């Protein structure tokens, strides 16, 4: 770092200041049209309603401050407070239904703990509860930035409070002056920083119109990909604003479309935990804690630091954890690949922005899901209870990430009609966390240190996954902590279940095609060697074992009979009627698929039937012998049987006794393996859910007996 200027250290010099081309301007217009067509811009009526709500809220705040002043026996004439907006509304990138971040600044005798929060008549929380047009009051006093969430005439508002060290506030108060921070505690400084950061951002970006359009696009992308929630450990509005502003500084004359593409390409290669700065941090020697990444400090443990530009500089992404960092870096990399392909488009060719803005298939991409159910007796209690639980879900993720790969979904899911999906008619919300077993990374020469150990790619990275995973302890810690809330009321309940992907609630709009393909990939696969097949087969009146990926082109098909050792896995004779239900799922599917193949062969359709799905073949793709021969030197090398190859083997005569025994043995082993895997998966889901169900009122045994999924 010696010899470098501060601008080089904090990467403040532009990388490219070339003027935009006509093609880039055209693509920016197309981007804006795409965002407008996606419904990201609010209507004029909604904008007027927001201004009206702000005016009414300001009058309510002035009445509240005067009431507190009377309680303190102070002069009411000089009592006043100021209301400011910040965040997306202040930046001009809000959309329909977006909440308004609001800051209330009051004198020092109006305290947050005693006058802002509380159910006494002089508290703002109580005043809001008595206002007819206010609903869904959600106080969060223990948050990193304490706030009250409300809906005022349908407009969502997040209200923060800052008490300045002044008895009387001036009529015009400039928050950008650092003098207002004197005598303030850390919570007040963090509350004031919302407005101070927003104003500083708008001053630091070269072109505010370009910044707004690019930021609106990035926020839309983050929402679609399920990584837009600072509470959950993902990206919040201020984080994205700072990151987009950084790209605008590096490309000061670029159009919004270029800024958007460079955003993903640059963040894919960003060397975390190197911090993102918009300017050299200021130090006014006021004794306030500032960003300090020196070894041994708390800031040195930050995984994804994005530093606020206003004094005191602090990490705005303090909630990021190892698991959420893995998710975000993977999303950046995937988006960067798409944006790189956009750069190769020819001049005049329109960009298909829909390729970038695609929703994440969260409910089809994980093996297991943790379902956190939050319920209460009424909607008002549910709002309070949900505010507390949602702020603690991040701790559950932190406890789980040492055992499995974790991806929390930030958006709560509400059942469409509680009376239809469950016997419990009470209002409830569901949070889902996708979990998968960790996979050990490949060992390369670059990953080995001189002492022979593997170097970690990130602080605390788990290199070797455990062979067995026990999620009981982290889930119990989460439940114990959340249910110990002092403000918890009767009827507020918390249920936690661990579900397989196939048993997720059906109303989650799961795409059946990816779900079916994922379930088929979990089934056991057996490939029958070509040399053990013959042309003359007996009718399929016994159990049939059809290998996944093997298709028979003969006039009749006969499966291998089960051996005596396989009798315990299910019925050995007929698989029709109710007896078929006792077979393992994998075995039952193979039997049904073989009967379909046999029926088609019997009708003379041997040349046009579809192959069973395999791990390397789509479940809906028809069998193509030519395509298989083009991919591999010989179909026989991987156990595939085509109609042509079967005719070639037909002349070899009937099977010998040894060949029959070997075929029966392989079929028995495959069926036994499928039965064991089916039992293990069932027991795993049952055991991981039963201990939670017993503790928190979920009887999975009753639901399994009735045949309904454990939702």
């Amino acid at each position: 770092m010696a010899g470098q200027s501060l601008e080089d250290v904090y990467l403040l010099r532009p990388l490219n200041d070339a003027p935009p081309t006509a093609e880039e301007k055209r693509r920016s217009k197309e981007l804006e049209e795409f965002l407008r067509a996606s419904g990201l811009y609010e209507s004029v009526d909604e904008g007027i309603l927001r201004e009206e709500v702000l005016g009414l809220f300001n009058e309510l705040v002035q009445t509240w401050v005067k009431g507190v002043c009377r309680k303190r026996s102070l002069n009411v004439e000089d009592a006043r407070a100021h209301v400011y907006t910040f965040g997306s509304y202040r930046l001009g990138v809000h959309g329909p239904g977006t909440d308004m971040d609001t800051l209330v600044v009051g004198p020092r005798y109006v305290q947050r703990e005693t006058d802002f929060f509380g159910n006494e008549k002089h508290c703002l929380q109580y005043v809001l509860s008595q206002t007819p047009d206010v609903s869904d009051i959600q106080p969060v006093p223990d948050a990193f930035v304490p706030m009250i969430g409300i809906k005022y005439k349908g407009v969502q508002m997040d209200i923060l409070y800052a008490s300045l060290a002044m008895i009387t506030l001036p009529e015009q108060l400039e928050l950008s002056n650092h003098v207002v921070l004197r005598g303030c505690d850390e919570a007040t400084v963090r509350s004031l920083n919302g407005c101070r950061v927003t104003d500083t951002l708008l001053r630091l970006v070269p072109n505010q119109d370009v910044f707004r359009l690019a930021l609106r696009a990035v926020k839309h992308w983050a929402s679609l990909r399920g990584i837009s929630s600072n509470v959950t450990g993902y990206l919040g509005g201020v984080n994205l604003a700072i990151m987009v502003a950084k790209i605008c500084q590096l490309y000061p004359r670029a159009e919004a479309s270029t800024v958007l593409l460079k955003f993903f390409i640059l963040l894919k290669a960003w060397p975390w935990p190197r911090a993102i700065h918009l300017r050299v941090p200021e130090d006014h020697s006021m004794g306030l804690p500032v960003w300090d990444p020196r070894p041994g400090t708390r800031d040195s443990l930050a995984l994804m630091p994005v530093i606020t530009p206003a004094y005191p500089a602090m990490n705005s992404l303090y909630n990021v954890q190892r698991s959420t960092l893995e998710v975000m870096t993977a999303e950046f990399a995937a988006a960067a690949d798409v944006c790189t392909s956009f750069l190769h488009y020819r001049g005049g060719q329109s960009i298909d922005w829909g390729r970038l803005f695609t929703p994440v298939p969260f409910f089809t991409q994980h093996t297991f899901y943790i379902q956190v159910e939050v319920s209460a007796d009424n909607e008002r209690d549910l709002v309070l209870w949900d505010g507390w639980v949602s702020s603690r879900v991040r701790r559950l993720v932190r406890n789980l990430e040492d055992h499995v790969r974790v991806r929390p979904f930030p958006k709560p899911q509400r059942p469409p009609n509680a009376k239809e999906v469950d016997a419990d008619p009470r209002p409830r919300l569901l949070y889902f966390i996708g979990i998968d077993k960790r996979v050990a990374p490949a060992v390369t020469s670059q990953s080995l240190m001189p002492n022979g150990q593997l170097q970690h790619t990130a602080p605390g990275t788990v290199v070797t996954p455990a062979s067995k995973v026990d999620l009981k302890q982290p889930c119990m810690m989460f439940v114990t902590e959340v249910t110990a809330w002092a403000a918890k009321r009767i009827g507020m309940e918390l249920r936690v279940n661990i579900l397989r992907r196939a048993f997720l609630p059906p109303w989650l709009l799961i795409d059946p095609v990816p779900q079916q393909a994922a379930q088929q990939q979990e089934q056991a696969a057996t490939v029958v060697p070509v040399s053990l097949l013959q042309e003359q087969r007996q009718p399929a009146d016994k159990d049939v074992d059809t290998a996944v990926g093997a298709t028979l082109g003969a006039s009749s098909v006969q499966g291998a009979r089960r051996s005596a050792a396989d009798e315990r896995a299910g019925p050995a004779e007929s698989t029709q009627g109710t007896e078929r239900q006792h077979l393992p799922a994998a075995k039952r599917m193979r039997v049904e698929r073989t009967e379909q193949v046999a029926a088609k062969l019997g009708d003379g359709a041997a040349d046009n039937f579809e192959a069973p799905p395999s791990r390397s073949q789509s479940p809906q793709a028809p069998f193509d012998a030519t395509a298989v021969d083009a991919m591999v030197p010989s179909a026989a090398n991987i156990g595939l049987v085509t109609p042509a190859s079967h005719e070639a083997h037909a002349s070899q005569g009937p099977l010998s006794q040894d060949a029959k025994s070997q075929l029966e043995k392989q079929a028995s082993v495959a069926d036994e393996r499928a039965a064991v895997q089916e039992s293990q998966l069932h027991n795993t889901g049952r055991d991981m859910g039963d201990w939670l169900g017993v503790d928190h009122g979920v009887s999975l045994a009753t639901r399994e007996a009735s045949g309904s999924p454990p939702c």
Side-chain angles (χ1 to χ4, degrees):
M1 188 177 298
Q4 287 185 319
S5 64
L6 291 178
E7 292 184 348
D8 294 330
V9 172
Y10 294 106
L11 193 61
L12 301 179
R13 298 185 187 276
L15 298 180
N16 190 338
D17 58 355
T21 63
E23 182 68 18
E24 293 173 345
K25 294 181 179 179
R26 183 186 63 82
R27 290 177 175 177
S28 295
K29 292 182 180 179
E30 293 179 350
L31 175 62
E32 183 177 0
E33 294 174 357
F34 177 86
L35 298 180
R36 289 188 179 276
S38 301
L40 299 184
Y41 290 81
E42 70 174 2
S43 62
V44 177
D45 294 338
E46 186 174 356
I48 296 175
L49 177 60
R50 289 180 184 271
E51 295 179 359
E52 178 186 352
V53 167
L54 281 176
L56 294 175
F57 179 73
N58 182 62
E59 295 178 359
L60 186 147
V61 167
Q62 304 305 327
T63 303
W64 162 64
V65 170
K66 294 182 183 296
V68 176
C69 186
R70 293 190 188 96
K71 182 178 176 61
R72 301 286 192 271
S73 299
L74 299 175
N75 187 5
V76 179
E77 296 180 359
D78 296 333
R80 69 171 60 90
H82 294 284
V83 177
Y84 300 88
T85 59
F86 62 99
S88 60
Y89 183 74
R90 175 70 178 88
L91 292 173
V93 295
H94 59 287
T98 306
D99 58 346
M100 289 196 304
D101 297 317
T102 309
L103 172 67
V104 177
V105 179
R108 67 181 183 184
Y109 56 82
V110 181
Q111 298 297 317
R112 180 186 300 103
E113 294 78 8
T114 59
D115 304 316
F116 184 70
F117 295 105
N119 294 318
E120 299 182 9
K121 292 185 178 181
H122 70 281
C123 297
L124 180 61
Q125 179 180 339
Y126 176 82
V127 173
L128 292 171
S129 66
Q130 301 303 311
T131 304
D133 294 330
V134 175
S135 62
D136 295 352
I137 302 176
Q138 186 175 354
V140 190
D142 298 328
F144 188 72
V145 182
M147 54 157 285
I148 297 178
I150 66 170
K151 278 189 177 179
Y152 203 153
K153 286 192 172 183
V155 178
Q156 181 68 41
M157 300 179 66
D158 293 338
I159 307 170
L160 284 62
Y161 180 72
S163 177
L164 300 185
M166 303 178 184
I167 297 180
T168 302
L169 299 183
E171 294 184 0
Q172 300 295 330
L173 181 62
E174 181 62 39
L175 295 182
S176 59
N177 191 340
H178 66 273
V179 177
V180 300
L181 303 177
R182 294 190 182 276
C184 298
D185 57 12
E186 292 189 17
T188 300
V189 172
R190 288 193 292 266
S191 300
L192 290 170
N193 251 11
C195 291
R196 290 166 53 83
V197 168
T198 301
D199 295 339
T200 306
L201 274 173
L202 294 177
R203 290 197 304 265
L204 292 177
V205 293
N207 189 321
Q208 292 187 8
D209 293 335
V210 169
F211 167 73
R212 290 191 175 100
L213 180 56
L215 178 57
R216 192 184 294 271
V218 171
K219 287 169 62 71
H220 181 49
W221 170 85
S223 177
L224 290 175
R225 302 307 300 176
I227 58 173
S228 177
S229 174
N230 189 268
V231 176
T232 313
Y234 291 125
L235 301 168
V238 64
N239 317 130
L240 291 173
I242 296 175
M243 298 164 78
V244 173
K246 183 64 177 180
I247 307 301
C248 291
Q249 286 184 339
L250 297 177
Y251 301 90
R253 303 180 66 181
E255 282 291 324
S257 60
T258 304
V259 171
L260 179 62
L261 301 182
K262 297 296 184 181
F263 175 86
F264 295 110
I265 295 174
L266 184 62
L267 287 181
K268 175 185 177 180
W270 191 266
W272 304 110
R274 178 174 180 174
I276 292 181
H277 291 268
L278 294 182
R279 66 177 183 178
V280 178
E282 298 178 335
D283 186 6
H284 294 291
S285 302
M286 299 181 63
L288 297 174
V290 296
W291 167 252
D292 183 11
R294 292 177 299 177
T297 62
R298 183 183 62 179
D299 291 333
S300 64
L301 303 177
L303 300 178
M304 193 177 182
V306 176
I307 311 304
T308 57
Y311 175 82
M314 59 181 65
N315 180 21
S316 63
L317 271 177
Y318 52 87
N319 282 340
V320 171
Q321 302 168 102
R322 186 174 69 247
S323 56
T324 53
L325 175 61
E326 292 175 356
V327 172
M328 289 186 288
T329 52
E331 292 292 345
F332 288 148
D337 294 340
V338 176
C339 292
T340 302
S341 66
F342 290 163
L343 296 177
H344 294 86
Y345 279 22
R346 298 187 301 271
Q349 184 178 2
S350 298
I351 291 180
D352 183 11
W353 293 109
R355 290 179 52 200
L356 179 63
F357 299 97
T358 57
V360 59
F362 175 79
F363 294 103
T364 60
Q365 65 179 182
H366 299 284
T367 307
F368 287 91
Y369 293 84
I370 293 181
Q371 175 185 282
V372 179
E373 179 180 344
V374 184
S375 60
D377 289 341
N378 52 70
E379 289 289 345
R380 186 173 182 178
D381 287 352
L382 180 63
V383 172
L384 297 174
W385 185 227
D386 173 60
W388 171 257
V389 176
S390 61
S391 65
R392 293 298 184 271
V393 171
R394 185 175 67 256
R395 302 196 179 190
L396 174 60
V397 173
R398 182 178 58 196
N399 294 336
L400 292 172
E401 64 185 8
D402 291 334
H403 307 279
V404 291
R405 288 194 298 112
V406 186
R407 176 163 186 165
F409 193 67
K411 300 178 181 178
Q413 305 297 309
R414 181 184 290 269
N417 190 334
K419 296 182 180 180
E420 295 180 2
V421 300
D422 200 348
D424 188 0
R426 301 185 308 161
R428 57 176 179 160
L429 293 173
L430 302 178
Y431 290 89
F432 290 91
I433 302 175
I435 55 176
D436 297 285
K437 187 176 180 181
R438 287 191 175 273
V439 179
V443 179
T444 62
S445 58
Q446 290 80 8
S447 62
L448 283 175
M449 295 189 296
N451 60 359
Q453 296 181 351
L454 287 174
Q455 61 181 359
H456 294 180
T457 57
T461 300
V462 176
V463 176
T464 305
S467 57
K468 295 183 179 180
V469 178
D470 182 12
L471 303 181
K472 179 177 181 178
Q473 187 66 24
C475 290
M476 289 186 64
M477 293 172 57
F478 168 73
V479 172
T480 302
E481 178 185 1
V482 173
T483 55
W485 188 35
K488 184 175 179 292
R489 301 177 181 176
I490 298 177
M492 294 180 176
E493 295 183 2
L494 175 66
R495 293 184 176 93
V496 178
N497 279 328
I498 302 180
L499 308 176
R500 290 180 59 192
R501 178 173 53 231
F503 295 113
L504 287 173
W507 47 266
L508 285 173
L509 302 178
I510 304 175
D511 190 356
V513 176
Q515 183 189 21
Q516 180 182 6
Q519 292 177 352
Q520 292 172 347
Q521 290 180 355
E522 296 177 358
Q523 299 169 358
T526 304
V527 180
V528 181
V530 178
S531 59
L532 298 182
L533 300 176
Q534 63 172 354
E535 179 182 7
Q536 297 179 354
R537 303 283 186 177
Q538 300 298 327
D541 55 349
K542 303 295 181 180
D543 284 313
V544 181
D545 181 71
T546 303
V548 177
T551 305
L552 307 181
S555 59
S556 61
V557 181
Q558 178 191 17
R561 293 187 177 89
R562 292 186 173 187
S563 62
D566 195 54
E567 290 293 335
R568 62 182 181 276
E573 298 296 328
S574 174
T575 60
Q576 304 296 326
T578 58
E579 294 183 355
R580 178 175 298 178
Q581 302 300 324
H582 298 288
L583 293 174
K587 174 66 177 179
R588 185 166 59 252
M589 179 172 291
R590 289 199 299 272
V591 171
E592 294 172 355
R593 186 59 181 168
T594 301
E595 291 177 352
Q596 296 176 4
V597 173
K600 291 183 179 181
L601 292 176
D603 296 336
D607 296 333
N608 298 321
F609 63 88
E610 296 179 354
S614 66
R615 297 181 182 271
S616 60
Q617 184 177 347
S618 172
Q620 304 297 331
F623 179 79
D624 188 355
T626 306
V628 173
D629 293 337
M631 290 186 294
V632 294
S634 174
N637 293 336
I638 55 175
L640 288 175
V641 183
T642 63
S645 63
H646 182 77
E647 293 177 358
H649 288 279
S651 60
Q652 295 181 0
L655 290 176
S656 63
Q657 189 65 29
D658 294 338
K660 290 181 179 180
S661 300
Q662 185 177 359
L663 183 61
E664 292 177 357
K665 182 178 179 180
Q666 291 188 359
S668 300
V669 172
D671 292 342
E672 187 173 0
R673 185 189 304 116
V676 172
Q677 292 177 347
E678 183 77 8
S679 177
Q680 289 177 346
L681 289 174
H682 175 75
N683 292 337
T684 300
R686 182 190 61 194
D687 294 341
M688 287 194 296
D690 278 351
W691 67 267
L692 292 170
V694 172
D695 291 343
H696 307 290
V698 181
S699 177
L700 296 184
T702 304
R703 292 180 179 176
E704 289 177 355
S706 62
S708 60
C711 61

